[in-house]
Amino acid sequence: MTSSTPTRPTLIPISLTVNGLPVDAAVPGRMLLADFLRDELGLTGTHVGCGHGTCGSCTILVDGEAVRSCLQFAVQVDGCALTTVEGISPDGRLTPVQQAFQDNHGMQCGFCTPGFVCSLTGLLAKDPAPSEETLVDTLNGHLCRCTGYQNILKAARQAAGRPVEGDQ
Ligand code: FES
Ligand code: FES
């Protein structure tokens, strides 16, 4: 019987910006972006719920676009600018989206919250006054096991400058 030595994966160099800071790393080609952020960079605010693109809890911003980091490989963001929930507030104060979640009790356990915050932040950067339909569409891409969604929708409306109770 022959024993085989496991081969180490080839490491691929990547250079990117994460929360405004330059990052140079060497990663296996199959390392997921979510694992890179959490395990290599220690940015554990990016949560992994389902691991296959359904729950939205791993959402971050890549060049301003909301992206599910469990569906990307780290090598795919070579050269990109990433923002995770840790970097969503440039000055350390609550952003309007974060403040809206606090004001409206838009979280309970908080597991889903970084994903909601990143998605809404990305949306409002491109569309500061989204319609109710656009807001609901954005929230639709996220699962929350705790809140029943009503307070999250209120928070999203507040952040978007819409009536918190909805158009009456
Ligand atoms: S962990 Fe990425 S979408 Fe659920
Ligand atoms: S607040 Fe618990 S999963 Fe959303």
Side-chain angles (χ1 to χ4, degrees), residues 114-142:
F116 276 110
V117 168
C118 286
S119 274
L120 284 168
T121 300
L123 169 69
L124 294 174
K126 285 187 292 188
D127 180 3
S131 66
E132 178 86 358
E133 187 181 10
T134 301
L135 277 183
V136 170
D137 265 359
T138 300
L139 301 184
N140 255 345
H142 294 263

mmCIF file of all heavy atoms in Angstrom, residues 114-142:
data_model
loop_
_atom_site.group_PDB
_atom_site.id
_atom_site.type_symbol
_atom_site.label_atom_id
_atom_site.label_comp_id
_atom_site.label_asym_id
_atom_site.label_seq_id
_atom_site.Cartn_x
_atom_site.Cartn_y
_atom_site.Cartn_z
ATOM 1 N N PRO A 114 -25.963 42.647 9.899
ATOM 2 C CA PRO A 114 -24.915 43.179 9.019
ATOM 3 C C PRO A 114 -25.281 43.089 7.539
ATOM 4 O O PRO A 114 -24.967 43.996 6.757
ATOM 5 C CB PRO A 114 -23.699 42.306 9.356
ATOM 6 C CG PRO A 114 -23.946 41.859 10.756
ATOM 7 C CD PRO A 114 -25.438 41.643 10.837
ATOM 8 N N GLY A 115 -25.934 42.017 7.164
ATOM 9 C CA GLY A 115 -26.327 41.867 5.765
ATOM 10 C C GLY A 115 -27.358 42.901 5.358
ATOM 11 O O GLY A 115 -27.263 43.523 4.290
ATOM 12 N N PHE A 116 -28.378 43.093 6.216
ATOM 13 C CA PHE A 116 -29.377 44.124 5.919
ATOM 14 C C PHE A 116 -28.711 45.496 5.819
ATOM 15 O O PHE A 116 -29.009 46.277 4.908
ATOM 16 C CB PHE A 116 -30.429 44.165 7.034
ATOM 17 C CG PHE A 116 -31.535 43.153 6.893
ATOM 18 C CD1 PHE A 116 -31.606 42.079 7.766
ATOM 19 C CD2 PHE A 116 -32.509 43.289 5.928
ATOM 20 C CE1 PHE A 116 -32.632 41.147 7.671
ATOM 21 C CE2 PHE A 116 -33.541 42.354 5.819
ATOM 22 C CZ PHE A 116 -33.605 41.286 6.685
ATOM 23 N N VAL A 117 -27.842 45.799 6.767
ATOM 24 C CA VAL A 117 -27.197 47.121 6.799
ATOM 25 C C VAL A 117 -26.369 47.331 5.534
ATOM 26 O O VAL A 117 -26.421 48.405 4.912
ATOM 27 C CB VAL A 117 -26.342 47.268 8.072
ATOM 28 C CG1 VAL A 117 -25.429 48.484 7.991
ATOM 29 C CG2 VAL A 117 -27.248 47.378 9.299
ATOM 30 N N CYS A 118 -25.625 46.323 5.128
ATOM 31 C CA CYS A 118 -24.805 46.479 3.920
ATOM 32 C C CYS A 118 -25.668 46.632 2.679
ATOM 33 O O CYS A 118 -25.401 47.500 1.834
ATOM 34 C CB CYS A 118 -23.851 45.291 3.774
ATOM 35 S SG CYS A 118 -22.475 45.337 4.957
ATOM 36 N N SER A 119 -26.708 45.822 2.553
ATOM 37 C CA SER A 119 -27.557 45.931 1.367
ATOM 38 C C SER A 119 -28.233 47.290 1.287
ATOM 39 O O SER A 119 -28.274 47.928 0.227
ATOM 40 C CB SER A 119 -28.646 44.844 1.369
ATOM 41 O OG SER A 119 -28.150 43.672 0.803
ATOM 42 N N LEU A 120 -28.789 47.745 2.412
ATOM 43 C CA LEU A 120 -29.480 49.039 2.397
ATOM 44 C C LEU A 120 -28.500 50.185 2.171
ATOM 45 O O LEU A 120 -28.823 51.153 1.470
ATOM 46 C CB LEU A 120 -30.241 49.241 3.715
ATOM 47 C CG LEU A 120 -31.534 48.431 3.825
ATOM 48 C CD1 LEU A 120 -32.061 48.472 5.259
ATOM 49 C CD2 LEU A 120 -32.598 48.954 2.846
ATOM 50 N N THR A 121 -27.313 50.073 2.734
ATOM 51 C CA THR A 121 -26.306 51.114 2.518
ATOM 52 C C THR A 121 -25.934 51.188 1.037
ATOM 53 O O THR A 121 -25.833 52.282 0.464
ATOM 54 C CB THR A 121 -25.053 50.822 3.374
ATOM 55 O OG1 THR A 121 -25.441 50.809 4.751
ATOM 56 C CG2 THR A 121 -23.979 51.872 3.153
ATOM 57 N N GLY A 122 -25.758 50.046 0.406
ATOM 58 C CA GLY A 122 -25.447 50.021 -1.028
ATOM 59 C C GLY A 122 -26.580 50.585 -1.858
ATOM 60 O O GLY A 122 -26.364 51.354 -2.799
ATOM 61 N N LEU A 123 -27.807 50.217 -1.490
ATOM 62 C CA LEU A 123 -28.962 50.738 -2.228
ATOM 63 C C LEU A 123 -29.045 52.255 -2.114
ATOM 64 O O LEU A 123 -29.192 52.955 -3.120
ATOM 65 C CB LEU A 123 -30.254 50.102 -1.678
ATOM 66 C CG LEU A 123 -31.545 50.752 -2.180
ATOM 67 C CD1 LEU A 123 -31.748 50.472 -3.665
ATOM 68 C CD2 LEU A 123 -32.745 50.285 -1.366
ATOM 69 N N LEU A 124 -28.962 52.767 -0.892
ATOM 70 C CA LEU A 124 -29.176 54.202 -0.677
ATOM 71 C C LEU A 124 -28.034 55.047 -1.241
ATOM 72 O O LEU A 124 -28.236 56.222 -1.559
ATOM 73 C CB LEU A 124 -29.361 54.481 0.822
ATOM 74 C CG LEU A 124 -30.643 53.862 1.412
ATOM 75 C CD1 LEU A 124 -30.678 54.049 2.920
ATOM 76 C CD2 LEU A 124 -31.885 54.453 0.763
ATOM 77 N N ALA A 125 -26.860 54.458 -1.388
ATOM 78 C CA ALA A 125 -25.766 55.197 -2.024
ATOM 79 C C ALA A 125 -26.071 55.449 -3.496
ATOM 80 O O ALA A 125 -25.683 56.473 -4.058
ATOM 81 C CB ALA A 125 -24.465 54.420 -1.876
ATOM 82 N N LYS A 126 -26.798 54.509 -4.088
ATOM 83 C CA LYS A 126 -27.117 54.673 -5.513
ATOM 84 C C LYS A 126 -28.463 55.345 -5.722
ATOM 85 O O LYS A 126 -28.694 56.034 -6.702
ATOM 86 C CB LYS A 126 -27.149 53.286 -6.194
ATOM 87 C CG LYS A 126 -25.780 52.709 -6.407
ATOM 88 C CD LYS A 126 -25.828 51.437 -7.229
ATOM 89 C CE LYS A 126 -26.491 50.325 -6.446
ATOM 90 N NZ LYS A 126 -26.409 49.026 -7.083
ATOM 91 N N ASP A 127 -29.382 55.115 -4.804
ATOM 92 C CA ASP A 127 -30.752 55.603 -4.935
ATOM 93 C C ASP A 127 -31.194 56.126 -3.565
ATOM 94 O O ASP A 127 -31.787 55.391 -2.777
ATOM 95 C CB ASP A 127 -31.652 54.441 -5.400
ATOM 96 C CG ASP A 127 -33.104 54.860 -5.567
ATOM 97 O OD1 ASP A 127 -33.417 56.058 -5.389
ATOM 98 O OD2 ASP A 127 -33.931 53.978 -5.883
ATOM 99 N N PRO A 128 -30.902 57.394 -3.263
ATOM 100 C CA PRO A 128 -31.164 57.916 -1.910
ATOM 101 C C PRO A 128 -32.651 58.004 -1.566
ATOM 102 O O PRO A 128 -32.995 58.113 -0.393
ATOM 103 C CB PRO A 128 -30.552 59.328 -1.953
ATOM 104 C CG PRO A 128 -29.645 59.336 -3.131
ATOM 105 C CD PRO A 128 -30.190 58.355 -4.109
ATOM 106 N N ALA A 129 -33.513 57.955 -2.570
ATOM 107 C CA ALA A 129 -34.955 58.045 -2.300
ATOM 108 C C ALA A 129 -35.682 56.901 -2.997
ATOM 109 O O ALA A 129 -36.464 57.101 -3.926
ATOM 110 C CB ALA A 129 -35.491 59.402 -2.771
ATOM 111 N N PRO A 130 -35.437 55.670 -2.585
ATOM 112 C CA PRO A 130 -36.044 54.526 -3.271
ATOM 113 C C PRO A 130 -37.545 54.428 -2.998
ATOM 114 O O PRO A 130 -38.028 54.889 -1.960
ATOM 115 C CB PRO A 130 -35.306 53.320 -2.660
ATOM 116 C CG PRO A 130 -34.878 53.789 -1.318
ATOM 117 C CD PRO A 130 -34.604 55.244 -1.445
ATOM 118 N N SER A 131 -38.228 53.821 -3.921
ATOM 119 C CA SER A 131 -39.667 53.578 -3.735
ATOM 120 C C SER A 131 -39.854 52.490 -2.675
ATOM 121 O O SER A 131 -38.926 51.731 -2.360
ATOM 122 C CB SER A 131 -40.298 53.116 -5.058
ATOM 123 O OG SER A 131 -39.765 51.849 -5.405
ATOM 124 N N GLU A 132 -41.098 52.409 -2.179
ATOM 125 C CA GLU A 132 -41.429 51.331 -1.233
ATOM 126 C C GLU A 132 -41.157 49.970 -1.872
ATOM 127 O O GLU A 132 -40.614 49.065 -1.245
ATOM 128 C CB GLU A 132 -42.911 51.462 -0.843
ATOM 129 C CG GLU A 132 -43.418 50.372 0.096
ATOM 130 C CD GLU A 132 -43.169 50.688 1.576
ATOM 131 O OE1 GLU A 132 -42.569 51.747 1.880
ATOM 132 O OE2 GLU A 132 -43.579 49.859 2.417
ATOM 133 N N GLU A 133 -41.491 49.857 -3.141
ATOM 134 C CA GLU A 133 -41.298 48.585 -3.838
ATOM 135 C C GLU A 133 -39.810 48.213 -3.886
ATOM 136 O O GLU A 133 -39.449 47.053 -3.663
ATOM 137 C CB GLU A 133 -41.853 48.717 -5.260
ATOM 138 C CG GLU A 133 -41.873 47.429 -6.033
ATOM 139 C CD GLU A 133 -42.404 47.628 -7.446
ATOM 140 O OE1 GLU A 133 -42.575 48.788 -7.882
ATOM 141 O OE2 GLU A 133 -42.629 46.608 -8.103
ATOM 142 N N THR A 134 -38.966 49.202 -4.152
ATOM 143 C CA THR A 134 -37.526 48.929 -4.205
ATOM 144 C C THR A 134 -37.003 48.527 -2.839
ATOM 145 O O THR A 134 -36.178 47.607 -2.713
ATOM 146 C CB THR A 134 -36.770 50.174 -4.719
ATOM 147 O OG1 THR A 134 -37.255 50.493 -6.017
ATOM 148 C CG2 THR A 134 -35.278 49.929 -4.783
ATOM 149 N N LEU A 135 -37.490 49.202 -1.805
ATOM 150 C CA LEU A 135 -37.063 48.837 -0.449
ATOM 151 C C LEU A 135 -37.453 47.396 -0.127
ATOM 152 O O LEU A 135 -36.641 46.618 0.381
ATOM 153 C CB LEU A 135 -37.718 49.756 0.584
ATOM 154 C CG LEU A 135 -37.080 51.106 0.869
ATOM 155 C CD1 LEU A 135 -37.850 51.808 1.973
ATOM 156 C CD2 LEU A 135 -35.617 50.955 1.238
ATOM 157 N N VAL A 136 -38.697 47.071 -0.411
ATOM 158 C CA VAL A 136 -39.181 45.715 -0.106
ATOM 159 C C VAL A 136 -38.407 44.686 -0.924
ATOM 160 O O VAL A 136 -38.027 43.623 -0.413
ATOM 161 C CB VAL A 136 -40.697 45.608 -0.350
ATOM 162 C CG1 VAL A 136 -41.169 44.166 -0.271
ATOM 163 C CG2 VAL A 136 -41.453 46.474 0.659
ATOM 164 N N ASP A 137 -38.134 45.014 -2.174
ATOM 165 C CA ASP A 137 -37.351 44.114 -3.026
ATOM 166 C C ASP A 137 -35.973 43.856 -2.423
ATOM 167 O O ASP A 137 -35.473 42.726 -2.422
ATOM 168 C CB ASP A 137 -37.135 44.753 -4.404
ATOM 169 C CG ASP A 137 -38.178 44.297 -5.389
ATOM 170 O OD1 ASP A 137 -39.034 43.491 -4.986
ATOM 171 O OD2 ASP A 137 -38.125 44.764 -6.543
ATOM 172 N N THR A 138 -35.357 44.918 -1.910
ATOM 173 C CA THR A 138 -34.019 44.788 -1.317
ATOM 174 C C THR A 138 -34.072 43.922 -0.064
ATOM 175 O O THR A 138 -33.250 43.033 0.135
ATOM 176 C CB THR A 138 -33.453 46.182 -0.984
ATOM 177 O OG1 THR A 138 -33.381 46.930 -2.196
ATOM 178 C CG2 THR A 138 -32.080 46.091 -0.350
ATOM 179 N N LEU A 139 -35.073 44.168 0.776
ATOM 180 C CA LEU A 139 -35.183 43.374 2.012
ATOM 181 C C LEU A 139 -35.533 41.929 1.709
ATOM 182 O O LEU A 139 -35.162 41.016 2.455
ATOM 183 C CB LEU A 139 -36.251 43.980 2.929
ATOM 184 C CG LEU A 139 -36.028 45.434 3.368
ATOM 185 C CD1 LEU A 139 -37.113 45.857 4.346
ATOM 186 C CD2 LEU A 139 -34.659 45.635 3.984
ATOM 187 N N ASN A 140 -36.234 41.712 0.607
ATOM 188 C CA ASN A 140 -36.652 40.368 0.218
ATOM 189 C C ASN A 140 -35.481 39.411 0.073
ATOM 190 O O ASN A 140 -35.641 38.211 0.220
ATOM 191 C CB ASN A 140 -37.354 40.425 -1.147
ATOM 192 C CG ASN A 140 -38.837 40.286 -0.993
ATOM 193 O OD1 ASN A 140 -39.300 39.878 0.056
ATOM 194 N ND2 ASN A 140 -39.573 40.637 -2.031
ATOM 195 N N GLY A 141 -34.320 39.952 -0.214
ATOM 196 C CA GLY A 141 -33.158 39.097 -0.414
ATOM 197 C C GLY A 141 -32.513 38.648 0.884
ATOM 198 O O GLY A 141 -31.442 38.048 0.861
ATOM 199 N N HIS A 142 -33.151 38.929 2.014
ATOM 200 C CA HIS A 142 -32.547 38.610 3.313
ATOM 201 C C HIS A 142 -33.540 37.847 4.185
ATOM 202 O O HIS A 142 -34.734 38.170 4.199
ATOM 203 C CB HIS A 142 -32.153 39.901 4.043
ATOM 204 C CG HIS A 142 -31.049 40.648 3.353
ATOM 205 N ND1 HIS A 142 -29.729 40.533 3.730
ATOM 206 C CD2 HIS A 142 -31.064 41.492 2.305
ATOM 207 C CE1 HIS A 142 -28.982 41.291 2.935
ATOM 208 N NE2 HIS A 142 -29.773 41.891 2.067
#
